[in-house]
Amino acid sequence: QTRKNRFDRYLNMKSTIELSPEAASDPGLQNNKHLALLLIDDVVTTGSTLEACSEAISTGIDAIIYAATVAYA
């Protein structure tokens, strides 16, 4: 992915990441009004991975999503 632009990276990641049906239907996740999730990525280049992950989670779970990274390239 290093030679792709931001939009192409996003499209590539969006098509590969999805929320599992088990997580989407888990009552513990669905009924929790104070759910917070932390996404961790080792290196952020364009943010496409974190964006695609948070979008996939948001489609099935109502949660506050935080992101942490070790480095920015």
Side-chain angles (χ1 to χ4, degrees):
Q1 288 206 89
T2 57
R3 300 191 190 277
K4 294 182 180 182
N5 65 34
R6 186 180 195 287
F7 184 70
D8 289 338
R9 286 181 190 218
Y10 171 73
L11 290 178
N12 187 43
M13 293 308 299
K14 183 177 179 176
S15 65
T16 60
I17 298 174
E18 63 183 30
L19 188 64
S20 73
E22 294 84 8
S25 63
D26 186 316
L29 295 175
Q30 294 299 325
N31 300 326
N32 190 332
K33 295 182 182 181
H34 303 289
L35 184 63
L37 300 173
L38 175 62
L39 300 177
I40 301 174
D41 195 357
D42 57 352
V43 179
V44 171
T45 305
T46 63
S48 296
T49 302
L50 292 172
E51 187 174 353
C53 289
S54 62
E55 187 176 294
I57 292 167
S58 297
T59 61
I61 297 174
D62 185 20
I64 297 171
I65 301 171
Y66 297 96
T69 185
V70 176
Y72 180 78

